[in-house]
Amino acid sequence: MGRSGLSWTLPDHPKLPKGKPVAVVVLDGWGEANADQYNCIHVAQTPVMDSLKNGAPEKWRLVKAHGTAVGLPSDDDMGNSEVGHNALGAGRIFAQGAKLVDQALASGKIYEGDGFNYIKESFENGTLHLIGLLSDGGVHSRLDQLQLLLKGASERGAKRIRVHILTDGRDVLDGSSVGFVETLENDLSELRGKGVDAQIASGGGRMYVTMDRYENDWDVVKRGWDAQVLGEAPYKFKSALEAVKTLRAQPNANDQYLPPFVIVDDSGKPVGPVLDGDAVVTINFRADRMVMLAKALEYADFDKFDRVRVPKIRYAGMLQYDGELKLPSIYLVSPPEIDRTSGEYLVKNGIRTFACRQSCVIETVKFGHVTFFWNGNRSGYFDESKEEYVEVPSDSGITFNVAPKMKALEIAEKARDALLSGKFDQVRVNLPNGDMVGHTGDIEATVVACKVADEAVKIILDAVEQVGGIYLVTADHGNAEDMVKRNKSGKPLLDKNGGIQILTSHTLQPVPVAIGGPGLHPGVKFRTDIQTPGLANVAATVMNLHGFEAPSDYETTLIEVADN
Ligand SMILES: O=C(O)[C@H](O)COP(=O)(O)O
Ligand SMILES: [Mn+2]
Ligand SMILES: [Mn+2]
């Protein structure tokens, strides 16, 4: 028995044996959609994934990877890596950050908690700074939540508010930043009409300013710090709308990569550096791309870059971003408590886990996807003697459409070696290509990305074959299978010049789950009695493949075992 009488011991599966190595392969951003020229998975040569599909319905099926199936507020919400890998690893559906913030704002509870009361202390004499992603993407943040917080904070005494925006173009259409800035400017102007001194103070594109992840490139965070905290940036404008419009007019400009800018007053002084006595809230609910800034804002000992000036502030995150590090220590809304994940159960039942991830550079680095997210937003090992996390360093300083193969083959080779070593019961892999290249909106490059991801799957499945193991291949959400914005009837939408509107974001599409390998009991097949399974059903399935029954409160397994 563990703490509070919890038993970590999983019952033996009545029919399935233990001891077969299991490869769990997550293709990032790999959904199932109609076959047309904007479906890069369809256009690419993907013989391995195609052959898995031939195993339908017994060994290949689709599961939901978006909306309420992964704990998001509605079925209009596309899936994403955080909620997808959370569900895959935790085997249950938890109300996610987006939903928890919605609820806290709707009930007003957000204003009653310790976090808000803490920052409120600064309202009388200081400025409230809100820093975060400005869009309605719903992956890291949402504009309507920012709007409600602005209203709520000003009604509760915030007299001077500065918003530090990060333009998106990744979870929403490129170019949409202008509209979001207009909306925010209107809101701020209304607040000014009510006597609140409210303005946008700085900005920049999310992938170039602030929102790096997994400590990949601290310069990204430094650029943000300089603009947001110090009030220094290479570009200075009188208004954010002028800033975004002007910077977007530069050749090859893109919302994701706009350079940092600050807003200055008539005398050229920045309107909103962060000063002693101010309050700061990072408004993103999603953790991965806020953790680095949270460290810079919170840690007294910090050596990742020269902060130059460290104001004495009251800082709160929208959520707590890392439960293990307790970072930040003060937050407005409690995060989902994702406990008893499948990784923890398997470690405690003697399964050794090898999570092989690729660290990408300018941005993503999905290192935390099959570790941090998989383990319920928990950094670090459950048991270092049983787990090994291997990071394959990515190319640096590029967008991945120029190197769409990324490090997929190296990841696959490391996974192969792990399987062949005989040291691991589970080899867990994330292949990032479909997602990372899909986000660039470059269709040709995304086709190359899908082809190489398929080649990587082959390397892993060949190794599974060699060791007599089992594979489960799936994805965390869609992306590469649809690269065009469509109307309700599915027709591609055109922009004003007659070009197609490129979809850089994820999708609402379901994702495949395929099982097989020589170690798979011959009677195993997908059940037909679960109507709309989702990613959360995968964890129990994987536990079965290891010869265990899943805990009774896990979403049910996808498989059954016929007697033969
Ligand atoms: O952070 C990102 O790169 C995107 O907003 C979402 O992509 P991911 O959920 O696949 O990481
Ligand atoms: Mn993903
Ligand atoms: Mn993505």
Side-chain angles (χ1 to χ4, degrees):
M1 289 282 178
R3 47 176 196 267
S4 21
L6 168 71
S7 169
W8 287 102
T9 311
L10 295 170
D12 293 337
H13 192 280
K15 294 183 181 165
L16 295 177
K18 299 196 174 46
K20 305 282 180 193
V22 179
V24 179
V25 181
V26 182
L27 290 147
D28 214 296
W30 190 284
E32 180 72 10
N34 290 339
D36 70 11
Q37 79 251 50
Y38 305 117
N39 178 339
C40 294
I41 298 171
H42 162 70
V43 175
Q45 300 282 320
T46 54
V48 180
M49 291 303 287
D50 294 348
S51 72
L52 295 185
K53 202 166 168 178
N54 292 334
E58 296 197 342
K59 302 282 166 49
W60 184 97
R61 68 162 303 155
L62 295 173
V63 296
K64 281 179 82 175
H66 79 287
T68 51
V70 286
L72 292 170
S74 88
D75 283 339
D76 294 331
D77 290 306
M78 61 194 162
N80 67 70
S81 289
E82 177 183 49
V83 300
H85 285 84
N86 278 170
L88 284 166
R92 286 148 296 154
I93 302 164
F94 289 86
Q96 288 286 349
K99 191 165 170 180
L100 297 171
V101 173
D102 282 347
Q103 289 167 345
L105 284 163
S107 66
K109 286 224 167 70
I110 195 167
Y111 305 115
E112 292 160 16
D114 293 347
F116 191 79
N117 280 320
Y118 173 72
I119 56 164
K120 211 172 147 190
E121 296 283 311
S122 298
F123 289 180
E124 189 58 35
N125 299 311
T127 300
L128 169 63
H129 298 265
L130 303 175
I131 306 177
L133 184 64
L134 183 71
S135 81
D136 62 4
V139 173
H140 294 269
S141 68
R142 276 213 333 266
L143 172 66
D144 60 333
Q145 295 179 347
L146 169 63
Q147 291 176 301
L148 287 172
L149 188 61
L150 278 167
K151 185 167 175 292
S154 61
E155 284 167 1
R156 287 164 181 81
K159 297 192 183 92
R160 196 166 183 273
I161 303 178
R162 294 293 180 264
V163 187
H164 302 265
I165 63 167
L166 301 163
T167 54
D168 192 343
R170 187 173 179 88
D171 300 325
V172 291
L173 294 184
D174 182 42
S176 59
S177 60
V178 177
F180 292 123
V181 171
E182 272 167 351
T183 305
L184 179 59
E185 289 284 28
N186 282 338
D187 284 22
L188 296 173
S189 136
E190 269 180 38
L191 284 181
R192 288 196 293 275
K194 292 179 183 153
V196 181
D197 172 8
Q199 291 191 57
I200 296 175
S202 77
R206 57 175 282 174
M207 301 305 285
Y208 192 63
V209 178
T210 300
M211 283 175 61
D212 185 46
R213 70 177 163 204
Y214 308 138
E215 310 221 349
N216 201 33
D217 182 358
W218 276 101
D219 281 347
V220 175
V221 187
K222 179 178 162 30
R223 276 179 214 118
W225 180 273
D226 291 350
Q228 296 143 3
V229 177
L230 306 181
E232 289 166 10
Y235 292 92
K236 296 182 175 53
F237 293 95
K238 289 281 166 53
S239 85
L241 195 56
E242 184 199 344
V244 171
K245 282 186 173 165
T246 310
L247 295 172
R248 277 200 56 83
Q250 294 186 346
N252 301 321
N254 173 317
D255 286 351
Q256 297 189 52
Y257 290 93
L258 291 188
F261 60 85
V262 292
I263 306 305
V264 292
D265 62 17
D266 290 339
S267 63
K269 259 183 60 190
V271 299
V274 181
L275 303 174
D276 284 353
D278 288 353
V280 175
V281 174
T282 44
I283 60 154
N284 289 15
F285 43 74
R286 174 159 154 177
D288 56 349
R289 296 192 184 275
M290 274 294 122
V291 163
M292 294 165 76
L293 173 58
K295 286 180 178 168
L297 287 167
E298 179 139 323
Y299 286 169
D301 282 332
F302 178 88
D303 59 4
K304 303 302 182 184
F305 61 83
D306 181 4
R307 289 180 291 184
V308 181
R309 182 172 61 77
V310 186
K312 290 187 189 54
I313 55 168
R314 291 175 174 267
Y315 166 50
M318 181 65 101
L319 258 70
Q320 183 166 67
Y321 300 128
D322 189 322
E324 200 66 12
L325 301 177
K326 305 262 176 281
L327 181 80
S329 52
I330 312 242
Y331 44 93
L332 302 188
V333 177
S334 296
E337 278 176 42
I338 305 178
D339 59 351
R340 298 187 299 107
T341 60
S342 58
E344 188 164 14
Y345 270 110
L346 292 175
V347 161
K348 293 190 164 130
N349 280 273
I351 299 285
R352 293 156 288 168
T353 303
F354 176 97
C356 177
R357 251 293 322 144
Q358 160 158 11
S359 76
C360 316
V361 167
I362 276 190
E363 62 234 42
T364 329
V365 228
K366 290 183 186 276
F367 179 73
H369 286 39
V370 288
T371 57
F372 176 79
F373 287 148
W374 197 277
N375 295 333
N377 300 342
R378 184 186 184 283
S379 51
Y381 296 96
F382 292 114
D383 178 346
E384 206 166 342
S385 70
K386 298 207 182 89
E387 299 165 88
E388 180 177 60
Y389 299 161
V390 175
E391 186 174 341
V392 181
S394 299
D395 292 323
S396 73
I398 56 163
T399 53
F400 288 105
N401 56 330
V402 303
K405 295 185 177 174
M406 303 179 68
K407 294 289 182 264
L409 299 180
E410 290 86 334
I411 292 172
E413 283 159 8
K414 290 224 187 286
R416 175 198 62 200
D417 295 348
L419 282 162
L420 297 184
S421 76
K423 283 199 222 151
F424 301 100
D425 302 291
Q426 184 181 112
V427 176
R428 200 160 76 222
V429 177
N430 177 293
L431 295 169
N433 307 65
D435 183 66
M436 290 299 292
V437 187
H439 279 305
T440 68
D442 182 331
I443 292 180
E444 246 171 74
T446 308
V447 171
V448 177
C450 294
K451 181 170 185 290
V452 78
D454 192 74
E455 289 163 8
V457 174
K458 178 169 183 356
I459 293 172
I460 299 167
L461 297 200
D462 284 351
V464 168
E465 193 69 31
Q466 256 182 284
V467 299
I470 301 172
Y471 60 77
L472 182 145
V473 180
T474 189
D476 59 342
H477 52 75
N479 186 334
E481 80 287 356
D482 199 4
M483 299 292 288
V484 67
K485 178 96 176 156
R486 295 174 191 269
N487 65 15
K488 284 228 160 64
S489 51
K491 274 211 150 150
L493 286 172
L494 302 183
D495 62 23
K496 50 181 186 294
N497 305 319
I500 58 153
Q501 287 194 34
I502 292 283
L503 190 74
T504 53
S505 72
H506 300 169
T507 69
L508 304 174
Q509 295 302 119
V511 299
V513 182
I515 49 171
L520 188 67
H521 182 293
V524 170
K525 58 179 182 182
F526 282 131
R527 293 162 57 171
T528 50
D529 59 337
I530 326 170
Q531 288 317 311
T532 47
L535 290 175
N537 296 84
V538 170
T541 311
V542 172
M543 283 172 160
N544 292 170
L545 298 178
H546 283 293
F548 296 107
E549 290 268 41
S552 57
D553 63 340
Y554 268 41
E555 294 293 321
T556 185
T557 180
L558 295 169
I559 56 174
E560 62 187 6
V561 190
D563 294 315
N564 38 4

